[in-house]
Amino acid sequence: MSYLVYVAIFGTVSVIFLWLRDARIFLRTGLPGFRKAAYWGVAYGALASLGFQVAWFMPDYEILGLGLILGALYLQVNREKEKIWNGEGTLERFLGSVSRKRANKR
């Protein structure tokens, strides 16, 4: 097993983390851009998982698997989303912490 398999594991986990972060932000804010990103994140997570499986089970094609993962990562972060952070710190942005929007404002 090559060191590239560990890179594939990290890339796949990163893509899935970004998908779950987008889903969390959508659930907290209801913004349509993050809804679309969360839906597309399912496909990108599947593509990254396929890339990981190629890198893990076919050692001769590790580069192909890494290419699939990097493609999924590029597509995951290349979506147009609304700007929701106004001066929050890095940790809040990393975790996707945003203020909730209330449904019934009086």
Side-chain angles (χ1 to χ4, degrees):
M1 180 173 15
S2 172
Y3 71 94
L4 294 176
V5 173
Y6 297 110
V7 174
I9 292 170
F10 180 73
T12 303
V13 168
S14 299
V15 169
I16 292 171
F17 172 78
L18 289 172
W19 163 49
L20 293 174
R21 187 187 75 158
D22 288 342
R24 179 175 185 235
I25 292 171
F26 168 68
L27 288 175
R28 291 177 67 95
T29 63
L31 295 172
F34 284 96
R35 178 181 184 216
K36 186 175 180 182
Y39 282 155
W40 278 102
V42 175
Y44 300 144
L47 181 63
S49 297
L50 175 68
F52 170 71
Q53 290 177 359
V54 167
W56 182 267
F57 293 114
M58 296 186 223
D60 295 336
Y61 296 104
E62 285 177 339
I63 300 298
L64 175 65
L66 285 175
L68 291 172
I69 293 168
L70 288 175
L73 188 60
Y74 173 75
L75 293 171
Q76 178 76 25
V77 297
N78 200 21
R79 290 272 164 212
E80 293 183 18
K81 303 173 200 164
E82 294 87 0
K83 303 296 181 199
I84 57 172
W85 289 291
N86 298 320
E88 281 84 355
T90 305
L91 183 62
E92 287 85 11
R93 293 182 71 170
F94 177 74
L95 296 175
S97 298
V98 293
S99 60
R100 292 181 186 255
K101 288 192 176 181
R102 291 181 49 186
N104 297 332
K105 289 187 178 181
R106 291 183 181 183

